[in-house]
Amino acid sequence: MEQPEIDIYQIMELLPHRYPMLLIDRILEFRANESLVALKNVTMNEPFFQGHFPGKPIMPGVLILEAMAQAAALLFRADEEESQPGPGAIYLFVGIDKARFKRPVTPGDQLVFNVSILRRMRRIWKFDAVAKVDDEVCCTAELMCTYKEQ
């Protein structure tokens, strides 16, 4: 069942990340045990644009992948399964396969992340992740996440 939008305040309850590493602004769609669509507004005020690259700002690919992993963690965390970890659990990015970059991401872009569950293997979940700007694919990857109880 599709859930309503989840705002930044709810995201901050689900993820431990904070500025400048919180890279998701809103969850647009959420289907428990299936998929999630998240949004990041890319602005010129992002700290990484100072050095990547002066005069031609491009969002670092590794941060696009990190944002995709945060979207996957949100799907993992917001899932309603009984096997969910406790509220103090830390989510860890443990693997990435098939990462491909198709176009640069620049200030003013809105990154939309589509993340879906591929499979669950004990404490490791595998996700298919696609990042788009204006319906144009900019990055794809398969991500693996796990958690550690505190």
Side-chain angles (χ1 to χ4, degrees), residues 46-86:
E46 309 280 355
F48 50 80
F49 284 138
Q50 278 188 307
H52 200 269
F53 300 101
K56 180 113 173 98
I58 297 173
M59 185 173 182
V62 68
L63 291 179
I64 296 169
L65 291 169
E66 170 63 24
M68 293 165 80
Q70 288 180 24
L74 284 163
L75 176 55
F76 187 88
R77 180 76 174 122
D79 200 338
E80 297 171 353
E81 284 237 331
E82 291 177 19
S83 62
Q84 280 301 305

Coordinates of all heavy atoms in Angstrom, one line a residue, residues 46-86:
E46 N 25.6 23.7 -1.5 CA 26.2 22.5 -1.1 C 27.7 22.7 -0.9 O 28.4 23.2 -1.7 CB 26.0 21.4 -2.1 CG 24.6 21.2 -2.6 CD 23.7 20.4 -1.6 OE1 24.1 19.9 -0.6 OE2 22.5 20.4 -1.9
P47 N 28.2 22.2 0.3 CA 29.7 22.5 0.6 C 30.6 21.9 -0.4 O 31.7 22.4 -0.6 CB 29.8 21.9 2.0 CG 28.7 21.0 2.2 CD 27.6 21.5 1.4
F48 N 30.3 20.8 -1.0 CA 31.2 20.1 -2.0 C 31.4 20.9 -3.2 O 32.4 20.7 -3.9 CB 30.8 18.7 -2.3 CG 29.3 18.5 -2.7 CD1 28.9 18.8 -4.0 CD2 28.4 18.1 -1.7 CE1 27.6 18.7 -4.3 CE2 27.0 18.0 -2.1 CZ 26.6 18.3 -3.4
F49 N 30.5 21.8 -3.6 CA 30.7 22.5 -4.8 C 31.8 23.5 -4.8 O 32.3 23.9 -5.8 CB 29.4 23.2 -5.2 CG 28.3 22.3 -5.8 CD1 27.0 22.5 -5.5 CD2 28.7 21.4 -6.7 CE1 26.0 21.7 -6.0 CE2 27.7 20.5 -7.3 CZ 26.4 20.7 -6.9
Q50 N 32.3 23.9 -3.6 CA 33.5 24.8 -3.5 C 34.7 24.2 -4.2 O 35.5 24.9 -4.8 CB 33.8 25.0 -2.0 CG 33.0 26.1 -1.4 CD 33.5 26.4 0.0 OE1 33.7 25.6 0.8 NE2 33.7 27.7 0.2
G51 N 34.8 22.9 -4.1 CA 36.0 22.3 -4.7 C 35.8 21.3 -5.8 O 36.7 20.7 -6.4
H52 N 34.5 21.1 -6.2 CA 34.2 20.1 -7.2 C 33.2 20.6 -8.2 O 32.0 20.3 -8.1 CB 33.6 18.8 -6.5 CG 33.7 17.6 -7.3 ND1 32.7 17.2 -8.1 CD2 34.7 16.6 -7.4 CE1 33.0 16.0 -8.7 NE2 34.2 15.7 -8.2
F53 N 33.5 21.3 -9.1 CA 34.8 21.9 -9.5 C 34.5 23.4 -9.5 O 33.5 23.8 -10.0 CB 35.2 21.4 -10.8 CG 35.5 19.9 -10.8 CD1 34.6 19.1 -11.4 CD2 36.6 19.4 -10.3 CE1 34.8 17.7 -11.4 CE2 36.9 18.0 -10.3 CZ 35.9 17.2 -10.9
P54 N 35.5 24.3 -9.1 CA 35.3 25.7 -9.2 C 35.0 26.1 -10.6 O 35.7 25.8 -11.5 CB 36.6 26.3 -8.6 CG 37.2 25.2 -7.8 CD 36.7 23.9 -8.4
G55 N 34.0 26.9 -10.8 CA 33.6 27.4 -12.2 C 32.8 26.4 -13.0 O 32.1 26.8 -13.9
K56 N 32.7 25.1 -12.6 CA 31.9 24.1 -13.3 C 31.5 23.1 -12.2 O 31.9 22.0 -12.2 CB 32.7 23.4 -14.4 CG 32.0 22.4 -15.1 CD 31.7 22.8 -16.6 CE 31.1 21.6 -17.3 NZ 29.7 21.7 -17.4
P57 N 30.5 23.5 -11.3 CA 30.2 22.6 -10.2 C 29.4 21.3 -10.7 O 28.5 21.4 -11.5 CB 29.3 23.5 -9.4 CG 28.8 24.6 -10.3 CD 29.8 24.8 -11.3
I58 N 29.9 20.2 -10.2 CA 29.3 18.9 -10.5 C 29.3 18.1 -9.2 O 30.2 18.1 -8.4 CB 30.2 18.1 -11.5 CG1 30.2 18.8 -12.8 CG2 29.6 16.7 -11.7 CD1 31.2 18.2 -13.9
M59 N 28.1 17.6 -8.9 CA 28.0 16.8 -7.7 C 28.8 15.5 -7.8 O 28.7 14.8 -8.8 CB 26.5 16.4 -7.5 CG 26.3 15.6 -6.1 SD 24.5 15.4 -5.9 CE 24.5 14.6 -4.3
P60 N 29.7 15.2 -6.8 CA 30.5 14.1 -6.8 C 29.7 12.8 -6.9 O 28.7 12.6 -6.2 CB 31.3 14.1 -5.5 CG 31.3 15.5 -5.1 CD 30.0 16.1 -5.6
G61 N 30.1 11.9 -7.8 CA 29.4 10.6 -8.0 C 29.3 9.8 -6.7 O 28.3 9.2 -6.4
V62 N 30.3 9.9 -5.8 CA 30.3 9.1 -4.6 C 29.2 9.7 -3.7 O 28.5 8.9 -2.9 CB 31.7 9.2 -3.9 CG1 32.0 10.5 -3.4 CG2 31.7 8.2 -2.8
L63 N 28.8 10.9 -3.8 CA 27.7 11.5 -3.0 C 26.4 11.1 -3.6 O 25.4 11.0 -2.8 CB 27.9 13.0 -2.8 CG 29.1 13.4 -1.9 CD1 29.2 14.9 -1.8 CD2 29.0 12.8 -0.6
I64 N 26.3 11.0 -4.9 CA 25.1 10.5 -5.5 C 24.8 9.0 -5.0 O 23.7 8.7 -4.6 CB 25.1 10.5 -7.0 CG1 25.3 12.0 -7.5 CG2 23.9 9.8 -7.6 CD1 25.6 12.1 -9.0
L65 N 25.9 8.2 -5.0 CA 25.8 6.9 -4.4 C 25.4 6.9 -3.0 O 24.6 6.1 -2.5 CB 27.0 6.1 -4.7 CG 27.4 5.8 -6.1 CD1 28.8 5.3 -6.3 CD2 26.4 4.8 -6.7
E66 N 26.0 7.8 -2.2 CA 25.6 7.9 -0.8 C 24.1 8.3 -0.6 O 23.5 7.7 0.3 CB 26.5 8.9 -0.1 CG 26.1 9.3 1.3 CD 26.1 8.2 2.4 OE1 26.9 7.2 2.1 OE2 25.4 8.2 3.4
A67 N 23.7 9.2 -1.4 CA 22.2 9.5 -1.3 C 21.4 8.4 -1.7 O 20.3 8.1 -1.1 CB 22.0 10.7 -2.3
M68 N 21.8 7.6 -2.7 CA 21.0 6.4 -3.0 C 21.0 5.4 -1.9 O 20.0 4.8 -1.6 CB 21.6 5.7 -4.3 CG 21.5 6.6 -5.5 SD 22.5 6.1 -6.9 CE 21.6 4.7 -7.6
A69 N 22.2 5.2 -1.2 CA 22.3 4.4 0.0 C 21.4 4.9 1.1 O 20.7 4.1 1.8 CB 23.7 4.2 0.4
Q70 N 21.3 6.2 1.3 CA 20.4 6.7 2.3 C 18.9 6.4 2.0 O 18.1 6.1 2.8 CB 20.6 8.2 2.5 CG 21.9 8.5 3.2 CD 22.2 10.0 3.4 OE1 21.2 10.8 3.4 NE2 23.4 10.4 3.5
A71 N 18.6 6.5 0.7 CA 17.2 6.2 0.3 C 16.9 4.7 0.5 O 15.9 4.3 1.0 CB 17.0 6.5 -1.2
A72 N 17.9 3.8 0.3 CA 17.8 2.4 0.6 C 17.6 2.2 2.0 O 16.8 1.4 2.5 CB 19.0 1.6 0.0
A73 N 18.4 2.9 2.9 CA 18.3 2.8 4.3 C 16.9 3.2 4.8 O 16.4 2.6 5.7 CB 19.4 3.6 5.0
L74 N 16.4 4.2 4.2 CA 15.0 4.7 4.5 C 14.0 3.6 4.2 O 13.1 3.4 5.0 CB 14.7 6.0 3.8 CG 15.4 7.2 4.4 CD1 15.3 8.4 3.5 CD2 14.7 7.6 5.8
L75 N 14.1 3.0 3.1 CA 13.2 1.9 2.8 C 13.4 0.7 3.8 O 12.4 0.2 4.3 CB 13.5 1.4 1.3 CG 12.6 0.2 0.9 CD1 11.2 0.4 1.0 CD2 13.0 -0.1 -0.6
F76 N 14.6 0.4 4.1 CA 14.9 -0.6 5.0 C 14.3 -0.2 6.4 O 13.7 -1.0 7.1 CB 16.4 -0.7 5.1 CG 17.0 -1.8 5.9 CD1 17.3 -3.0 5.4 CD2 17.4 -1.6 7.2 CE1 17.9 -4.0 6.1 CE2 18.0 -2.6 8.0 CZ 18.2 -3.8 7.4
R77 N 14.5 1.0 6.8 CA 14.1 1.5 8.1 C 12.6 1.6 8.3 O 12.0 1.4 9.3 CB 14.8 2.8 8.4 CG 14.5 3.4 9.8 CD 15.2 2.7 10.9 NE 15.0 3.4 12.1 CZ 14.4 2.8 13.2 NH1 14.1 1.6 13.2 NH2 14.2 3.5 14.3
A78 N 12.0 2.1 7.2 CA 10.5 2.4 7.2 C 9.7 1.1 7.0 O 8.5 1.2 7.1 CB 10.2 3.5 6.2
D79 N 10.4 0.0 6.6 CA 9.7 -1.2 6.4 C 9.0 -1.7 7.6 O 9.5 -1.4 8.7 CB 10.7 -2.3 5.9 CG 10.0 -3.4 5.2 OD1 8.8 -3.6 5.4 OD2 10.7 -4.1 4.4
E80 N 7.9 -2.3 7.5 CA 7.1 -2.7 8.7 C 7.2 -4.1 9.1 O 6.4 -4.7 9.7 CB 5.6 -2.4 8.4 CG 5.4 -0.9 8.2 CD 4.0 -0.6 7.7 OE1 3.2 -1.5 7.4 OE2 3.6 0.6 7.6
E81 N 8.3 -4.8 8.6 CA 8.5 -6.2 9.0 C 8.8 -6.3 10.5 O 9.3 -5.5 11.1 CB 9.8 -6.7 8.2 CG 9.5 -7.0 6.8 CD 9.9 -8.4 6.5 OE1 10.7 -9.0 7.1 OE2 9.2 -8.9 5.6
E82 N 8.4 -7.5 11.0 CA 8.6 -7.8 12.4 C 10.1 -7.9 12.7 O 10.5 -7.8 13.8 CB 7.9 -9.1 12.8 CG 6.4 -8.9 12.8 CD 5.7 -10.3 13.0 OE1 6.3 -11.2 13.6 OE2 4.5 -10.4 12.7
S83 N 10.9 -8.2 11.7 CA 12.3 -8.5 11.9 C 13.1 -7.2 12.0 O 14.4 -7.2 12.0 CB 12.9 -9.4 10.8 OG 12.7 -8.7 9.6
Q84 N 12.5 -6.0 12.0 CA 13.2 -4.8 12.0 C 14.1 -4.7 13.3 O 13.7 -5.1 14.4 CB 12.2 -3.6 12.0 CG 11.7 -3.3 10.6 CD 12.8 -3.0 9.6 OE1 13.6 -2.1 9.8 NE2 12.9 -3.7 8.6
P85 N 15.2 -4.0 13.1 CA 16.1 -3.8 14.3 C 15.5 -2.7 15.2 O 14.5 -2.0 14.8 CB 17.4 -3.3 13.7 CG 17.0 -2.7 12.3 CD 15.8 -3.6 11.9
G86 N 16.0 -2.6 16.4 CA 15.6 -1.6 17.3 C 15.8 -0.2 16.9 O 16.5 0.1 15.9

